[in-house]
Amino acid sequence: MLTVPTKIKKSLGQHFLKDVVVSNQIANLLTDESLIGTVVEVGPGSGSLTDRLRTKPIARLYLVEVDRDLIPYLKKKYADLSERIIEADFLKLSLTEQFQGERLTIIGNFPYNISSQIFFKILDNRHVVKEVVGMVQKEVAQRITAPPGGKVYGMLSVFLQAFYTITYHFTVPPHLFLPPPRVDSAVVTMHRNNVQKLPCNELLFFQIVKSGFQQRRKKLQNALRAFNIADIGHTDLLDKRAEELSVTEFVTLTNALTTKGHLNVRRH
């Protein structure tokens, strides 16, 4: 039976996993390559997943926990890891400075209230984060793994799929957590692809994707009017909505705007 060392804090999105089988399944998704490097667990909580990670031959395991009340418990339970237990908000932590530019694997039962923010943090640190094993709300897992053409596919889908190969592995029901969340959870993995830099102006790419999905009900010829798109061609793409375009097609639009010299958004 799971023992929770402190009062559960809803403000931190805490839902502690209490199922050993699922914890094992998550830990087993780590690749052999990740084991010889640095693995960072985000939000270890009561240590359910940490216990399983401890059975793996991980070269360097770090725990990042924002709940200060859990730190003494974690340092006592994992005394040999004491120097690698970091009290910090993962979203505010400088991964490059903290881990000195090492290539990282991020793993964890991500707090539900900041799971999307964690993925944006990973995206910003894609030069060092090579692998991710994460449990999130099923809805978020479906979103980041969705192909173009549906309402689930969104801005985060495009951004992450541009740089990572993402796989939905399995669903986890609410009763396996304490307290049980109101929704199903799911486990996904992300592996860095070979794209070091997109074959386009990346800043403009991000602006176009964001603008397209901010007005996702509109066709791109209307959603992107601020970019002076009238003479760039590619009417076949502009006649679609953002949710219908792949990463490659967004790159094509970005290059068309760059070729025409429309690097800046038109000011109204």
Side-chain angles (χ1 to χ4, degrees):
M1 183 175 179
L2 177 66
T3 300
V4 179
T6 65
K7 183 179 179 180
I8 293 172
K9 298 179 175 64
K10 291 184 179 179
S11 62
L12 296 179
Q14 290 177 336
H15 294 278
F16 297 137
L17 180 63
K18 60 181 182 179
D19 189 88
V20 174
V21 173
V22 172
S23 295
N24 267 324
Q25 289 176 317
I26 295 172
N28 287 340
L29 289 172
L30 289 172
T31 63
D32 290 341
E33 183 183 359
S34 70
L35 297 179
I36 63 174
T38 298
V39 176
V40 180
E41 184 184 0
V42 177
S46 61
S48 177
L49 177 57
T50 314
D51 288 343
R52 309 279 71 78
L53 294 176
R54 296 279 286 159
T55 68
K56 301 289 183 182
I58 299 173
R60 292 174 296 281
L61 175 63
Y62 289 83
L63 311 181
V64 177
E65 177 58 62
V66 69
D67 186 350
R68 64 177 57 186
D69 293 333
L70 283 172
I71 297 299
Y73 164 82
L74 292 170
K75 288 194 172 183
K76 181 178 180 180
K77 184 175 183 181
Y78 308 113
D80 59 322
L81 282 180
S82 182
E83 297 301 316
R84 293 179 179 172
I85 297 175
I86 303 167
E87 180 186 343
D89 180 345
F90 179 75
L91 297 179
K92 297 178 180 178
L93 188 67
S94 171
L95 301 185
T96 302
E97 291 181 9
Q98 180 69 50
F99 303 106
Q100 301 180 340
E102 292 182 51
R103 298 273 283 173
L104 306 175
T105 294
I106 307 297
I107 191 170
N109 172 17
F110 298 158
Y112 287 5
N113 57 341
I114 61 167
S115 55
S116 292
Q117 292 169 269
I118 287 176
F119 285 123
F120 277 111
K121 170 84 171 184
I122 289 168
L123 181 68
D124 289 341
N125 289 271
R126 57 188 179 274
H127 58 292
V128 294
V129 179
K130 64 179 180 180
E131 184 175 325
V132 180
V133 181
M135 181 155 57
V136 295
Q137 305 100 309
K138 182 178 180 180
E139 175 189 351
V140 174
Q142 290 174 323
R143 186 186 314 154
I144 66 174
T145 56
K151 293 183 179 180
V152 178
Y153 183 73
M155 177 173 61
L156 189 56
S157 316
V158 177
F159 289 162
L160 291 177
Q161 291 175 25
F163 298 100
Y164 289 90
T165 299
I166 312 175
T167 304
Y168 184 115
H169 288 274
F170 56 89
T171 303
V172 185
H175 72 271
L176 298 182
F177 297 85
L178 184 68
R182 296 181 180 179
V183 296
D184 283 339
S185 302
V187 176
V188 298
T189 55
M190 295 168 43
H191 296 96
R192 191 72 168 83
N193 61 25
N194 293 323
V195 178
Q196 298 304 312
K197 184 183 183 305
L198 292 175
C200 65
N201 181 309
E202 286 191 351
L203 177 59
L204 186 59
F205 171 86
F206 285 117
Q207 291 175 336
I208 288 173
V209 174
K210 184 177 180 180
S211 296
F213 281 103
Q214 283 178 335
Q215 302 182 73
R216 63 181 302 151
R217 296 182 64 182
K218 294 183 178 181
K219 292 185 176 181
L220 290 172
Q221 59 191 358
N222 295 316
L224 301 180
R225 288 179 65 184
F227 290 86
N228 289 324
I229 60 172
D231 58 346
I232 68 167
H234 296 288
T235 54
D236 57 327
L237 298 182
L238 294 173
D239 197 43
K240 296 180 180 180
R241 294 180 176 85
E243 66 190 34
E244 299 178 90
L245 265 63
S246 66
V247 171
T248 300
E249 288 171 323
F250 273 114
V251 168
T252 297
L253 275 185
T254 303
N255 283 328
L257 280 166
T258 304
T259 300
K260 290 294 183 179
H262 300 321
L263 291 179
N264 298 312
V265 177
R266 187 178 67 204
R267 300 190 180 280
H268 296 281

